[in-house]
Amino acid sequence: MDIKKALELIESGRFEELDIDDIWELINVLSASSEPQAFQALVKLQNSKLGQSLPQKNMQMQYIMEQNIQALNKEEKNFDLFALDKKGQPVHASVLPIFNFFNHVEVKNKEDVEQVKPEKLFEQAVSIAKLTAKKDILLDKNFSKQKPEEQQKNYANSVLMAMEETAFVLVSNQILEDTLTQKHTPLSKVDKAEITNKAENSFAEVIRPKSKTRFQLTNSNIISTFAAEINRAGNKAALVEKNTSSKELNNEVAKVDKKLQKEYPETMLLLRSFAQYQNMSFVAGKQGRNMFGADYIAKTVHENNPAKGQKEVSLFAFLKEQPAKIKSFSQNIVRSIKKAYMVMAEAISLKLSSEKIADGFKNMFSFFSHNKEDKNAKYKGVGRQTIESNLDMVSARASQILLEQNKVDKRVIVWKDFRNTLHNSQLGRAILDPERTELVSENVEDYTKVTPIILNNKNKDNKNKAPKTLVGKTVNMISKVVLSQKAGGKVH
C-alpha cells in the first residue's frame, strides 16, 4: 500500500471495510509518511469507531492466530499435499498443473550469481508458497472453526494459489530481466508490442495442463523472486507481532529464511535487508533490480488475481475454465512489466543503479542481520537506527517516483529529489564510496582509554614535591552517526 492509496482510503471512509491486517498496514504507511495530510488522516482513523476498538480487535486476533496455528500444524502433520506416487507423479490431481510448470523450467545459471540447483527448485518454491499461505491462513477468522476436510481443502487451495501466482511472477520477471539486459532506453512501440505478445503467449502456456513449452528462468530471477516473497511475508509478520505480540508468523518466516540463506548466503544478505524498502531496491545492481521487478509485478498479480477468494479452484484451473479472464489479467501484468522497466532503465541512465552501489550495501548490511532479534548481529543500537532512518528517507523518495512515474514533468522532479536525497545522506555517502567507508564500532570501550597525566606541583618554598599521577579518561563517543570516512578522518 502506498501513501496515495492510504490517504484515499481515509478520505473515502472505506478503511472501515478493511481486514484488520490491512488496517495495520494502513496505520504503518501513514505513520511513516512525511506527507502533511498523513498525520491528519492518522488522527481521523484513531478517532473513528474502528480506531477506538482496535486494541480489543488486536487481542481477539491474537487468540484467533493461536487457534489457527494449532489447526494448521495438525493439518500439515496429517496431510502431504505434494506426495508423489511410484512414478514420481503427484498423488493429488490438483497439484499436476503447477508440478507440470516447474517440471518444464530450465534453470539458466549466470556465473555472477549464486547457482540454483534445478533439483531443489520445486522444493524451494513449495516452501515459499507454504509461507505465503500461512500468512493468510493465520489471519483467517474462520479457519480453526472449520471441519477438518474443509480446512484441508482451504489449505491446499491457498498453497497452490500462492505457487501459481509465483509462476506468473517468475515468467513475467524473466521477460523484464531479458528486456533490461538488451537495452536501457525508453521502450518503442515495437518493444511494447513484443513484451505484450511474449507475455500473453507465455501465460497461455503456463496454464495449459499438457503444455510442453520450456521456460528458461535465470538464477538471478529465481532467487530475487523468492526473496521478494519472503520479504513480503516478513513485513506482514512484523506487523502481526507489533499489534498482537504473536511471534508465530515470524517463526515461520525464520524457518524458510534459514533454508534460503544456506543456499544463497550473499544474495539473501543483500535482498532480505531490503525487506521494508523494496521500492528502492532497484539501486542495488542487477539483483536489486530483479527483486524490485519481482515485487512490483507480484503486487499486480496478487491484487488482480481473478480467482482471489475462490475456495474450490486454484488460479490455473480458474483461468482454464474462464479463458476470458486471462486477457484482463495479462494486460495488468504487462503494464506492470513496462512500468517497472521504465523505473529501472531511468535509474541506470541516471547512474543511480549499479554494482558499485550494490557492493556498498553488501558491505553495510554485513554488519547487521535483517532479523532484529538476531543476537549474533554485529551491528545494532544507534548505528542500526541511523541506517534505518536513512533508508526510510530514501525509500520515501523512491515511492514518490512510483506515484509520479506517468507524469513526465513531475517524474523529472522526483528523480532529482531522489538523487539529492540519496547522495546527501550518510547512507549515500557510504554506499557511493564504499572503498573509503567503514562502519564504526558501537562498543564504548573502543573509544575509551586510560591515560596517565603527570602533574609537577611545587610548594610555597618552590620545592618540588613528588609528582602526582592522575588517571584521566579520554572518551571519543559517536552517539548518532556511525559512518566514518577513512580518508581525512572525517566522521559524518
Side-chain angles (χ1 to χ4, degrees):
M1 184 186 301
D2 56 46
I3 184 62
K4 184 178 179 181
K5 183 176 181 180
L7 292 173
E8 287 175 352
L9 284 169
I10 297 296
E11 187 177 349
S12 66
R14 288 185 294 115
F15 66 90
E16 298 275 3
E17 305 166 8
L18 297 176
D19 292 332
I20 191 166
D21 55 315
D22 291 324
I23 291 293
W24 296 337
E25 185 179 355
L26 177 61
I27 293 172
N28 199 51
V29 170
L30 293 174
S31 301
S33 176
S34 58
E35 294 286 332
Q37 310 98 303
F39 178 73
Q40 297 172 353
L42 192 59
V43 171
K44 182 177 179 180
L45 189 155
Q46 290 173 337
N47 290 335
S48 68
K49 184 178 179 180
L50 183 148
Q52 292 175 355
S53 64
L54 199 55
Q56 183 180 359
K57 289 180 180 294
N58 289 348
M59 290 180 65
Q60 291 173 346
M61 183 52 67
Q62 183 180 18
Y63 174 77
I64 289 170
M65 291 182 67
E66 289 173 355
Q67 299 303 305
N68 283 345
I69 195 64
Q70 290 179 22
L72 192 56
N73 288 339
K74 186 177 180 180
E75 187 62 48
E76 288 193 318
K77 183 179 180 180
N78 299 326
F79 175 60
D80 184 3
L81 176 61
F82 297 98
L84 302 178
D85 60 22
K86 294 179 180 180
K87 295 181 179 179
Q89 293 295 302
V91 171
H92 303 286
S94 59
V95 176
L96 275 169
I98 193 63
F99 182 81
N100 183 65
F101 168 78
F102 278 101
N103 209 32
H104 286 83
V105 167
E106 293 180 356
V107 178
K108 185 179 178 182
N109 278 311
K110 294 183 176 181
E111 293 182 1
D112 58 344
V113 182
E114 287 159 314
Q115 306 293 284
V116 171
K117 297 175 183 176
E119 65 273 17
K120 288 193 174 184
L121 178 59
F122 188 73
E123 176 190 335
Q124 292 171 0
V126 168
S127 296
I128 300 292
K130 285 183 176 180
L131 177 61
T132 302
K134 287 174 183 177
K135 178 186 68 176
D136 298 328
I137 291 174
L138 287 182
L139 294 165
D140 187 335
K141 296 178 182 178
N142 301 312
F143 185 77
S144 66
K145 303 174 185 176
Q146 296 168 351
K147 294 179 180 179
E149 56 271 23
E150 192 175 357
Q151 287 179 348
Q152 185 180 106
K153 184 185 295 183
N154 289 342
Y155 168 74
N157 182 263
S158 295
V159 174
L160 290 176
M161 190 78 78
M163 283 194 82
E164 292 175 354
E165 284 187 344
T166 298
F168 274 97
V169 178
L170 284 166
V171 171
S172 303
N173 204 34
Q174 194 61 57
I175 295 172
L176 176 57
E177 181 185 332
D178 293 344
T179 305
L180 203 63
T181 300
Q182 296 166 7
K183 60 186 295 176
H184 302 150
T185 55
L187 295 171
S188 65
K189 288 184 178 180
V190 174
D191 295 326
K192 292 178 181 179
E194 187 177 335
I195 289 174
T196 300
N197 290 335
K198 191 169 185 178
E200 290 181 348
N201 290 335
S202 297
F203 297 160
E205 290 302 307
V206 165
I207 65 171
R208 194 157 68 90
K210 297 182 180 180
S211 173
K212 301 295 182 182
T213 300
R214 311 296 295 181
F215 295 94
Q216 277 203 347
L217 303 178
T218 62
N219 50 340
S220 53
N221 171 22
I222 292 168
I223 301 171
S224 298
T225 298
F226 286 174
E229 199 61 41
I230 297 175
N231 281 347
R232 191 174 297 106
N235 289 338
K236 180 73 75 174
L239 280 177
V240 167
E241 184 171 351
K242 178 181 178 181
N243 290 279
T244 69
S245 299
S246 172
K247 294 185 178 182
E248 295 293 353
L249 188 53
N250 257 329
N251 292 338
E252 296 299 322
V253 172
K255 291 176 187 176
V256 179
D257 222 0
K258 189 175 181 180
K259 289 181 182 179
L260 271 291
Q261 283 183 347
K262 185 178 180 180
E263 296 290 334
Y264 319 114
E266 289 187 17
T267 310
M268 294 301 286
L269 167 68
L270 175 66
L271 300 186
R272 283 292 282 118
S273 298
F274 273 107
Q276 298 178 51
Y277 318 101
Q278 294 197 140
N279 281 349
M280 66 167 286
S281 59
F282 61 79
V283 300
K286 296 176 184 177
Q287 286 299 90
R289 292 195 295 270
N290 265 331
M291 187 174 74
F292 172 84
D295 182 59
Y296 196 77
I297 293 167
K299 287 176 183 175
T300 300
V301 171
H302 296 326
E303 290 173 6
N304 295 279
N305 180 347
K308 191 175 183 179
Q310 297 284 332
K311 299 294 184 181
E312 302 296 326
V313 63
S314 68
L315 177 59
F316 285 7
F318 181 86
L319 293 174
K320 192 64 182 172
E321 292 172 3
Q322 302 191 42
K325 298 288 185 181
I326 189 70
K327 186 69 176 177
S328 60
F329 186 49
S330 299
Q331 288 174 343
N332 283 316
I333 298 175
V334 167
R335 276 194 289 270
S336 71
I337 294 173
K338 294 173 182 177
K339 288 180 180 179
Y341 171 88
M342 184 168 69
V343 171
M344 293 189 281
E346 288 185 336
I348 293 171
S349 66
L350 294 170
K351 294 182 171 54
L352 291 171
S353 179
S354 69
E355 298 312 308
K356 181 178 180 180
I357 292 178
D359 288 339
F361 272 116
K362 283 180 184 177
N363 177 47
M364 181 175 294
F365 290 147
S366 67
F367 280 77
F368 67 90
S369 167
H370 58 267
N371 178 7
K372 295 182 181 181
E373 302 299 321
D374 187 354
K375 296 179 181 180
N376 296 319
K378 299 177 182 177
Y379 198 56
K380 41 198 166 187
V382 174
R384 185 181 180 109
Q385 291 169 13
T386 301
I387 289 179
E388 288 180 340
S389 176
N390 276 244
L391 285 166
D392 283 335
M393 183 170 54
V394 178
S395 183
R397 298 297 184 271
S399 298
Q400 283 299 120
I401 293 171
L402 297 178
L403 288 173
E404 307 294 350
Q405 64 176 314
N406 293 324
K407 303 171 185 174
V408 178
D409 53 341
K410 290 188 177 181
R411 199 168 77 237
V412 173
I413 295 172
V414 294
W415 268 114
K416 184 177 180 181
D417 187 31
F418 174 77
R419 182 190 184 282
N420 290 340
T421 302
L422 178 64
H423 279 252
N424 294 332
S425 65
Q426 297 109 323
L427 173 71
R429 289 200 292 273
I431 61 175
L432 293 169
D433 199 359
E435 293 85 1
R436 298 174 59 208
T437 305
E438 65 179 4
L439 295 175
V440 179
S441 170
E442 294 183 40
N443 187 351
V444 175
E445 295 175 1
D446 292 346
Y447 305 102
T448 307
K449 62 181 178 180
V450 177
T451 306
I453 303 174
I454 307 299
L455 299 179
N456 288 320
N457 291 338
K458 295 182 179 180
N459 59 16
K460 293 180 181 178
D461 298 325
N462 287 329
K463 293 180 180 179
N464 288 336
K465 288 186 175 180
K468 294 181 179 179
T469 300
L470 301 181
V471 176
K473 286 188 176 180
T474 304
V475 180
N476 176 17
M477 283 293 296
I478 296 180
S479 60
K480 293 184 179 179
V481 182
V482 295
L483 302 176
S484 169
Q485 293 288 347
K486 293 178 181 178
K490 294 180 181 178
V491 176
H492 299 287

